[in-house]
Amino acid sequence: MFTVTTKAAVFVPQCAQVRHSSGKLKELGIRLKAITNIQKITKTMKMISAAKFAQAQKAIVPARAYGVGAMSLYDKTTVPAEENEKKVFVAISSDRGLCGALHSNLSRALKAEFEKETREDTKIISVGEKSKVFFQTANSKDLLMEFKEVGRNPPTFVDCAFIADQILKSGFEFNSGKFFYNYFKSAMSQIIKEQPFYSVEGFSKSPSITVYDSIDEDVVQSYQEFQLANAVFYTLKENYTSEQGARMVSMDGATKNAGEMIDRMSLLYNRTRQAVITTELIEIISGMTAL
C-alpha cells in the first residue's frame, strides 16, 4: 500500500507591507490636512495684520511729530545723579504674541540694564502680558505693577493717561526712570530704544529749569504729569506699529513655510499612494497566477 503525498502551492498574501503603507498614507493625509488648515489661519492673520499695520503706519506720523516734541523736554533736562537713586524701568509690550522675538528682545534689553542697577532701589513695571510673563519667573519680586489688555486695540490717550497716573501713584518714590520700547523703522526692522523720564522732585532739581520765569511747584507738577502721559502715549504708539509690522512679516513667513511643507508632503503622499496601489496590483496578479 502506497502513501501518496502531494504538495499543493498555497498562496499566502503578504499584507503587512500594504497595511503599513496604508496606515502611513492615512497619517500623511491627516498631517497634510492639518498643515493646510494652519496655512489658512496664518494667511488670514497676515491679512488682518496688514490692514492694522496700514492704519498704524498712518497714525504714527502725527503721533511721532507730537511725541518727539514732547519728549524733547526730558532729553534737554539734565538732572544730577544722586547716591542710592531710586529708578523705575517700564517695559512697553502687549498681550499678543506671534510677532517673532519682538517682546523677548525688549525684555532682555531691559533685564540687561536692570542687572547694572541696585535691585533694592530699582523696580520694573510691565505694560502688557508678554513682558510680565518674562519677568515673572526670575524677577517676580522686582515687579512693581503690571498693566494688561494692551495691544488688542490702538492705544488711546485716555488709557495712557491712566497708566501714567498709576505709575505716579504706585507708592514707590522714584527719582527717575526709563521707558523701553520698540521704535518703528520699517516692517522688517524695529529698534529697541530707551526714553528717560523723571519724577516731580527730580524734574524740579534740574538746573535748566531755572531759565523759565514764574515756575512754581504746581506748574511743574502739572506739566510733568502731562509729559509723562505723552511719553506713555508716544512709546505705546511706536510699539503698537512695530508689533503689527513684525506680526505681518512673521505670519507671511509662516504661510510660506507651510506652503513648502504642503508641497513636500503632497509629493510624499502621492508617492506613497502610488506605491500602495502598485503593491496591491502585484498581489492580485500573483494570486491569480498561483491559482
Side-chain angles (χ1 to χ4, degrees):
M1 186 174 183
F2 298 95
T3 303
V4 181
T5 305
T6 59
K7 294 183 179 179
V10 180
F11 173 71
V12 180
Q14 302 294 327
C15 299
Q17 183 179 0
V18 176
R19 286 195 295 268
H20 176 71
S21 299
S22 300
K24 185 178 180 181
L25 187 66
K26 184 177 180 180
E27 181 183 353
L28 284 173
I30 294 174
R31 290 184 60 189
L32 189 59
K33 185 177 180 181
I35 296 175
T36 305
N37 293 334
I38 292 174
Q39 186 189 38
K40 293 179 181 178
I41 295 172
T42 55
K43 188 175 181 180
T44 303
M45 293 188 65
K46 173 197 169 184
M47 295 173 63
I48 295 173
S49 298
K52 290 184 177 181
F53 173 69
Q55 295 178 355
Q57 196 173 17
K58 292 179 182 179
I60 194 61
V61 177
R64 181 175 290 173
Y66 180 73
V68 170
M71 301 293 279
S72 62
L73 174 70
Y74 289 127
D75 295 334
K76 296 179 181 180
T77 303
T78 55
V79 179
E82 300 178 357
E83 295 183 0
N84 300 325
E85 186 179 36
K86 293 184 178 181
K87 297 182 180 180
V88 169
F89 290 164
V90 183
I92 303 295
S93 64
S94 73
D95 293 352
R96 304 185 65 191
L98 298 177
C99 51
L102 187 77
H103 301 310
S104 58
N105 289 340
L106 176 74
S107 300
R108 290 192 188 100
L110 190 149
K111 186 175 182 180
E113 192 72 19
F114 178 79
E115 296 295 336
K116 301 177 184 178
E117 305 291 339
T118 307
R119 303 191 70 168
E120 291 78 10
D121 299 329
T122 308
K123 295 296 181 181
I124 299 174
I125 296 176
S126 66
V127 180
E129 187 72 18
K130 292 301 178 180
S131 58
K132 173 215 167 184
V133 172
F134 183 89
F135 293 110
Q136 201 170 22
T137 54
N139 302 89
S140 58
K141 296 182 179 179
D142 302 316
L143 278 173
L144 181 62
M145 62 173 57
E146 61 188 57
F147 296 94
K148 299 180 180 179
E149 301 297 328
V150 179
R152 299 182 184 274
N153 298 313
T156 61
F157 190 82
V158 176
D159 297 333
C160 298
F162 173 77
I163 294 174
D165 184 62
Q166 293 300 312
I167 292 175
L168 294 174
K169 295 179 180 179
S170 62
F172 183 71
E173 299 296 333
F174 62 92
N175 301 99
S176 63
K178 288 182 181 179
F179 289 105
F180 289 79
Y181 66 100
N182 289 287
Y183 177 83
F184 172 72
K185 186 176 181 181
S186 66
M188 298 288 295
S189 176
Q190 300 85 28
I191 304 173
I192 299 175
K193 285 192 174 184
E194 304 174 8
Q195 180 60 48
F197 65 94
Y198 304 96
S199 63
V200 178
E201 291 77 9
F203 191 71
S204 301
K205 294 178 182 178
S206 173
S208 57
I209 201 67
T210 56
V211 299
Y212 301 99
D213 296 333
S214 65
I215 299 294
D216 55 8
E217 185 177 353
D218 293 336
V219 173
V220 172
Q221 182 175 358
S222 300
Y223 191 70
Q224 195 275 342
E225 291 175 356
F226 180 70
Q227 288 298 94
L228 185 61
N230 281 340
V232 176
F233 180 70
Y234 169 65
T235 53
L236 275 176
K237 276 286 188 181
E238 289 282 357
N239 197 81
Y240 179 79
T241 309
S242 300
E243 179 186 349
Q244 298 303 328
R247 183 174 293 111
M248 181 184 66
V249 173
S250 179
M251 291 298 101
D252 181 56
T255 304
K256 291 180 181 178
N257 292 337
E260 294 175 0
M261 290 183 66
I262 289 172
D263 293 339
R264 291 197 302 266
M265 293 192 67
S266 297
L267 182 61
L268 180 60
Y269 178 83
N270 293 330
R271 286 179 177 177
T272 306
R273 178 172 172 271
Q274 188 64 39
V276 170
I277 295 173
T278 305
T279 305
E280 291 177 350
L281 288 174
I282 291 173
E283 289 179 352
I284 292 172
I285 296 172
S286 300
M288 294 297 295
T289 304
L291 295 176

